[in-house]
PDB file of all heavy atoms in Angstrom:
ATOM      1  N   ARG A  83      44.778  37.816 -15.701  1.00  0.00           N
ATOM      2  CA  ARG A  83      45.170  37.719 -17.087  1.00  0.00           C
ATOM      3  C   ARG A  83      44.684  36.384 -17.686  1.00  0.00           C
ATOM      4  O   ARG A  83      44.127  36.320 -18.781  1.00  0.00           O
ATOM      5  CB  ARG A  83      46.690  37.791 -17.223  1.00  0.00           C
ATOM      6  CG  ARG A  83      47.200  37.278 -18.581  1.00  0.00           C
ATOM      7  CD  ARG A  83      48.727  37.081 -18.550  1.00  0.00           C
ATOM      8  NE  ARG A  83      49.126  36.219 -19.638  1.00  0.00           N
ATOM      9  CZ  ARG A  83      49.282  34.931 -19.571  1.00  0.00           C
ATOM     10  NH1 ARG A  83      49.032  34.298 -18.465  1.00  0.00           N
ATOM     11  NH2 ARG A  83      49.703  34.278 -20.594  1.00  0.00           N
ATOM     12  N   PRO A 254      66.583  36.115   6.425  1.00  0.00           N
ATOM     13  CA  PRO A 254      66.368  34.698   6.020  1.00  0.00           C
ATOM     14  C   PRO A 254      65.063  34.494   5.222  1.00  0.00           C
ATOM     15  O   PRO A 254      64.932  33.496   4.489  1.00  0.00           O
ATOM     16  CB  PRO A 254      66.257  33.964   7.385  1.00  0.00           C
ATOM     17  CG  PRO A 254      65.921  34.999   8.381  1.00  0.00           C
ATOM     18  CD  PRO A 254      66.515  36.260   7.901  1.00  0.00           C
ATOM     19  N   PRO A 257      64.180  34.605   0.173  1.00  0.00           N
ATOM     20  CA  PRO A 257      63.790  33.783  -0.977  1.00  0.00           C
ATOM     21  C   PRO A 257      62.300  33.577  -1.128  1.00  0.00           C
ATOM     22  O   PRO A 257      61.869  33.087  -2.214  1.00  0.00           O
ATOM     23  CB  PRO A 257      64.521  32.442  -0.706  1.00  0.00           C
ATOM     24  CG  PRO A 257      65.559  32.717   0.285  1.00  0.00           C
ATOM     25  CD  PRO A 257      65.052  33.848   1.108  1.00  0.00           C
ATOM     26  N   LEU A 438      60.603  23.767 -22.262  1.00  0.00           N
ATOM     27  CA  LEU A 438      59.475  23.970 -21.382  1.00  0.00           C
ATOM     28  C   LEU A 438      59.808  25.095 -20.434  1.00  0.00           C
ATOM     29  O   LEU A 438      60.925  25.504 -20.250  1.00  0.00           O
ATOM     30  CB  LEU A 438      59.173  22.721 -20.576  1.00  0.00           C
ATOM     31  CG  LEU A 438      58.565  21.504 -21.268  1.00  0.00           C
ATOM     32  CD1 LEU A 438      58.608  20.353 -20.327  1.00  0.00           C
ATOM     33  CD2 LEU A 438      57.151  21.831 -21.676  1.00  0.00           C
ATOM     34  N   LEU A 439      58.728  25.599 -19.801  1.00  0.00           N
ATOM     35  CA  LEU A 439      58.953  26.695 -18.822  1.00  0.00           C
ATOM     36  C   LEU A 439      58.538  26.236 -17.457  1.00  0.00           C
ATOM     37  O   LEU A 439      57.390  25.765 -17.321  1.00  0.00           O
ATOM     38  CB  LEU A 439      58.114  27.913 -19.272  1.00  0.00           C
ATOM     39  CG  LEU A 439      58.396  29.226 -18.544  1.00  0.00           C
ATOM     40  CD1 LEU A 439      59.845  29.656 -18.651  1.00  0.00           C
ATOM     41  CD2 LEU A 439      57.497  30.273 -19.030  1.00  0.00           C
TER      42      LEU A 439
ATOM     43  N   ASP B 101      63.636  17.606 -22.516  1.00  0.00           N
ATOM     44  CA  ASP B 101      63.866  18.741 -21.667  1.00  0.00           C
ATOM     45  C   ASP B 101      64.097  18.317 -20.191  1.00  0.00           C
ATOM     46  O   ASP B 101      63.276  17.547 -19.625  1.00  0.00           O
ATOM     47  CB  ASP B 101      62.602  19.650 -21.680  1.00  0.00           C
ATOM     48  CG  ASP B 101      62.852  21.007 -21.115  1.00  0.00           C
ATOM     49  OD1 ASP B 101      63.554  21.125 -20.088  1.00  0.00           O
ATOM     50  OD2 ASP B 101      62.401  21.997 -21.668  1.00  0.00           O
ATOM     51  N   ASN B 189      64.039  28.939   6.766  1.00  0.00           N
ATOM     52  CA  ASN B 189      63.008  29.243   5.763  1.00  0.00           C
ATOM     53  C   ASN B 189      62.661  27.928   5.059  1.00  0.00           C
ATOM     54  O   ASN B 189      63.343  27.562   4.064  1.00  0.00           O
ATOM     55  CB  ASN B 189      63.518  30.332   4.803  1.00  0.00           C
ATOM     56  CG  ASN B 189      62.370  30.920   3.985  1.00  0.00           C
ATOM     57  OD1 ASN B 189      61.301  30.305   3.880  1.00  0.00           O
ATOM     58  ND2 ASN B 189      62.625  32.031   3.330  1.00  0.00           N
ATOM     59  N   TYR B 281      61.984  26.468  -6.457  1.00  0.00           N
ATOM     60  CA  TYR B 281      63.145  25.853  -5.808  1.00  0.00           C
ATOM     61  C   TYR B 281      63.084  24.315  -5.769  1.00  0.00           C
ATOM     62  O   TYR B 281      63.204  23.708  -4.736  1.00  0.00           O
ATOM     63  CB  TYR B 281      63.266  26.415  -4.371  1.00  0.00           C
ATOM     64  CG  TYR B 281      63.325  27.935  -4.348  1.00  0.00           C
ATOM     65  CD1 TYR B 281      62.604  28.650  -3.392  1.00  0.00           C
ATOM     66  CD2 TYR B 281      64.010  28.629  -5.314  1.00  0.00           C
ATOM     67  CE1 TYR B 281      62.555  30.038  -3.392  1.00  0.00           C
ATOM     68  CE2 TYR B 281      63.995  30.051  -5.303  1.00  0.00           C
ATOM     69  CZ  TYR B 281      63.271  30.718  -4.361  1.00  0.00           C
ATOM     70  OH  TYR B 281      63.256  32.093  -4.356  1.00  0.00           O
ATOM     71  N   GLN B 293      51.949  25.198 -18.560  1.00  0.00           N
ATOM     72  CA  GLN B 293      51.943  25.312 -20.021  1.00  0.00           C
ATOM     73  C   GLN B 293      50.596  25.654 -20.523  1.00  0.00           C
ATOM     74  O   GLN B 293      50.446  26.573 -21.376  1.00  0.00           O
ATOM     75  CB  GLN B 293      52.447  23.978 -20.690  1.00  0.00           C
ATOM     76  CG  GLN B 293      53.695  23.398 -20.119  1.00  0.00           C
ATOM     77  CD  GLN B 293      54.844  24.332 -20.004  1.00  0.00           C
ATOM     78  OE1 GLN B 293      55.122  25.115 -20.911  1.00  0.00           O
ATOM     79  NE2 GLN B 293      55.578  24.333 -18.888  1.00  0.00           N
ATOM     80  N   SER B 296      48.772  28.957 -17.647  1.00  0.00           N
ATOM     81  CA  SER B 296      49.511  30.236 -17.538  1.00  0.00           C
ATOM     82  C   SER B 296      50.042  30.667 -18.909  1.00  0.00           C
ATOM     83  O   SER B 296      49.909  31.819 -19.230  1.00  0.00           O
ATOM     84  CB  SER B 296      50.721  30.068 -16.591  1.00  0.00           C
ATOM     85  OG  SER B 296      50.279  29.659 -15.359  1.00  0.00           O
TER      86      SER B 296
END
Side-chain angles (χ1 to χ4, degrees):
Chain A
R83 162 194 163 267
L438 287 170
L439 190 59
Chain B
D101 195 320
N189 192 345
Y281 309 136
Q293 312 309 317
S296 303

